[in-house]
Amino acid sequence: FSSNLNLKHSSNTFSFLDVTFKIIENGVSPNRYIWLHGDEMTAKMALNNHMKEYAGTAFFIQNEGREIPFRSTIIDPNRVFSRIGSYHALKKFKPNWKINSLEQALDQIDEERDRFLKIIMPKDGGILISVHNNFRGYNVKSEINKSQKTSIKKNQNPRDFILCTSEKDYKKLENGPYNIVLQNELPLIDDGSLSWAMLRQNIRYINVETRLGYLTKQKKMLYFIENS
């Protein structure tokens, strides 16, 4: 396994936990965008299209599966943004870690995470917009108990929704055509997702979630956010 703790960074790529991220920049904007799960191809296409028309900086993971290889196992890259989340992510696919090896792995993730967040974090009050797809029945109803406010539309599929961590952004979006939830209070159990990491640092974060294959819908949702 790799013991490299340096987050490599060049003009158009950088690495995090030995997986490469491609950087696409368009114009000047404080907004940042990220595609984290390599099997969610609709989200990738939607974000690629979006970056041709809107200013900002986007980060694309260079990985074909949902999980990424790490040391002697695989982990979900959207479950490593807290130490407790990383612990459960590491144990999920390899339950029999030796204590010392597990602690070393957690220490490595902690160190690389801090550098990663500094690279992707929006500046000057900008937003970090994450794009995701679902294909296992996950939907907005799964988030209601963790949400402080919700705006669920009867004519919208529950698997297509927008999650905000800023009440200011929620208020801008709640009367639009899409399902919206606000999560601006940290949960009792932190699953290591990027949204909680951004909330802890008081960074505006929006997740645009649609069904896999619904490209037009995801593109429209991104445009709606930009123009609200």
Side-chain angles (χ1 to χ4, degrees), residues 107-123:
D107 289 345
Q108 179 183 348
I109 294 172
D110 283 350
E111 185 165 343
E112 292 203 33
R113 179 197 309 121
D114 290 342
R115 298 191 184 107
F116 178 75
L117 292 177
K118 286 177 183 177
I119 291 174
I120 69 167
M121 209 169 285
K123 306 296 189 292

Side-chain angles (χ1 to χ4, degrees), residues 140 160-164 173 178-182 206-209 221 224-225:
V140 70
D160 305 325
F161 64 94
I162 297 169
L163 184 154
C164 308
L173 304 174
Y178 304 112
N179 297 316
I180 313 285
V181 298
L182 170 68
I206 292 178
N207 175 31
V208 183
E209 180 88 34
M221 290 166 75
F224 168 65
I225 291 166

